[in-house]
Amino acid sequence: MAKEIIKDNDNLLEVNNLNVRFYSNGREMKAVNGVTFNIKKGETFGFVGESGCGKSTTSRAVIRLLAENAKVPEGEILYNGTDILKLSQDKLRKIRGKEIGMIFQEPMTALNPVLTIKKQVYEQFIGTSMTNKEKEERAIEMLRLVGIPSPEKRLKEYIHQFSGGMRQRAMIATTLAANPKLLIADEPTTALDVTIQDQIIKLINKIKKQMGMSVLLITHDLGVISQMCDRVAVMYAGYFVETADTLTLFAKPRHPYTKGLIDALPSTEKKNSSLMPIKGTTPSLAELPKGCPFGPRCPYCEDKCVNELPEMTEIESGHMVRCHFSYKLKNASGLISIEEGEQ
Amino acid sequence: MDVFNYTLKRILQMIPVFLIVTVLIFLLIRAIPGDPAMVMLGEKATPESLAALREKLGLNESYIKQFFLYFKGIVTFDLGDSIKFNTPVSTLIFSRVGTTICLTIMSTFFTVIFSFIPGYIAGINKDKIPDQIVRLIALIGLSVPSFWIGLVLLIIFAVNIKIFPVAGWGNTPWEHFVGLILPSITQAIAVSAVLIRNLRNNVVDIKNSDYVDFARSKGISPLRISTHHIIRNALIPTTTLLSLKLIAMFGGSIVIENVFNLPGIGNLLVNSIYARDYAVVQGIVVMFVVVVMVINLLTDIIYSILDPRVKLS
Ligand SMILES: Nc1ncnc2c1ncn2[C@@H]1O[C@H](COP(=O)(O)OP(=O)(O)OP(=O)(O)O)[C@@H](O)[C@H]1O
Ligand SMILES: [Mg+2]
């Protein structure tokens, strides 16, 4: 176990050079490309990016919950120093749930519609020595923790009997019942309306502190990132294009894509109140360009970008960017649009 | 709505349907060409004997009067007498219905075995070899008529190998049982194809569903995921379909009992039609209608029990 001692022990999760491929209709889709990141104990790490950029795939790979047509040709996923990719199915099951728990976007479909919440919470206790009474107490405690009123009664209900916000709370309670050290939350607020979104964000933040968990948060909403995350990775076409702590990312984005995303935010400031979506569409994962994947949409694109894939480069401590010309954005602030910045 | 109120409501709704169906049966039987008295008496018929028989059958009355007599009979559970057997229709049906019920129960048993196991295996192995084999078999099962399957089974297992009787169902319970095996398998093959497809598609959908992924993310054993999350959920629509297929099997007994010469209701019905035994035909068809309506009702109730999302209303 010498290996574990050498590892930096602040990191609960360390993902190195992760690659995921999907095979369908004889085509290879490069869904995740050379992704590297780590999550420290008690930290919330966010993935942000457009639909289809590989956020869910990356996070599911962490507990090997990928579709049957997926392969992981390369990479290392160290959880407390143990490579999850090398575990046997039995050992993997001991990590799932108990160490790394997951919540999904749509609680209505993520909870089994014909089992009561109680049965689904109790599944977390299989293999423990808990008595029925302890199980019930723990389940009720969990529902109470996530703010579900009259938990004794609601435990016996089915998911369709809950309202939107309560459904998400019920799923969170189910996951938390196993007391995971890392919570993977895949778009936990996307399906909810705005006021409930806010409640769920506050709830996860509160519980994270209370239970001392780390969180991997997935969203396509920078607003949610700003409310929850300590550090962020911006994903594009299966690549990480920029990682930084949240403040730095918003204040000094150095990748044109990140900047475009920030500019697309509806701002409260008058001069920038119009939406600034990034023109163009993401490349197909089956035919990624050989150069920078963002090149075709990038206002700064040059020959070098077309021909050569930029490496992830650390430009400041803890701030990594995958761009040949990131210095061009050095003096741009997060509030100026790409077009204006060009002039 | 609770089960009791729901049942009551459904029974009330059945009354008009039942009325319409009785009228239809009455008219249809009289639309069969030929004079029943003539058919019954055959070559020995004399004008006097014909007139006497017509009188006895009430054939000289107006259709309206005939209908009211017939309807009164149904609601008072007096289905009249069989002319051919000279016994009350209800006694006749009662003596035959046991065979048909046994046939249907055994057919259901084989159907469950023939459809649930391959359906699940095919779904879990979507697009792999087991799935392709099962789908091919189901396709063949769908396209071949049940009487033909029955005849092939008869030729193989009764004529050539001689492990089953060619026809009839003997005199002892064991002989009954053995005699029902080939007919039940025939029935089961005929309805399994649809159920296999249904279950396979359910399993395919469910094994890729969010809630199965969520269950996996909790670190539950693969066995428990299969039993508690995949099989249980996939069987809900299939069970509902199976109970509807019961109706098809009950109806299918008309063909199967004649192929295998079993003394059941279906056999009685066909013979009675040939003999123009009006009262028996009417009685059996009315019974079929009631059975269909009751099975439909039970299906809806079972569905609501299996799936908590379904509300009786
Ligand atoms: N089983 C699969 N087979 C083939 N392609 C897949 C499969 N699962 C996902 N993909 C593809 O991989 C890419 C990444 O998908 P992923 O679900 O990780 O994106 P995402 O960033 O989570 O998007 P969203 O915001 O829509 O959830 C997408 O282009 C998707 O079409
Ligand atoms: Mg996703």
Side-chain angles (χ1 to χ4, degrees), chain A residues 22 24 29 31 49-58 67 69 105 186-187 218 220 285:
Chain A
F22 287 113
S24 63
M29 321 259 289
E50 286 166 272
S51 182
C53 68
K55 305 181 296 289
S56 298
T57 306
T58 309
N69 61 338
Q105 175 172 341
D186 191 347
E187 312 234 16
I218 291 146
H220 56 254
L285 296 177

Side-chain angles (χ1 to χ4, degrees), chain A residues 24 42 44 51 53 116 128 136 143 168 181 207 220 222 226 243 253 255 275-278 290 301 314 324 329:
Chain A
S24 63
T44 301
S51 182
C53 68
T116 58
T128 66
E136 182 159 2
L143 292 209
Q168 193 57 281
K181 316 287 175 296
I207 291 170
H220 56 254
L222 280 171
S226 71
T243 52
H255 193 285
L275 272 174
M276 256 304 309
I278 308 165
K290 81 171 178 220
C301 183
E314 186 154 32
H324 292 307
L329 278 175

Side-chain angles (χ1 to χ4, degrees), chain A residues 64-79:
Chain A
R64 283 168 48 188
L65 202 66
L66 293 170
E68 282 169 1
N69 61 338
K71 286 225 161 60
V72 182
E74 239 188 302
E76 203 182 35
I77 299 168
L78 303 175
Y79 177 80

Side-chain angles (χ1 to χ4, degrees), chain B residues 49-69:
Chain B
S49 62
L50 276 175
L53 187 56
R54 284 209 189 94
E55 185 64 28
K56 186 176 166 229
L57 295 176
L59 294 176
N60 294 332
E61 308 288 351
S62 68
Y63 275 6
I64 306 282
K65 181 132 191 240
Q66 283 186 42
F67 179 75
F68 278 107
L69 286 174

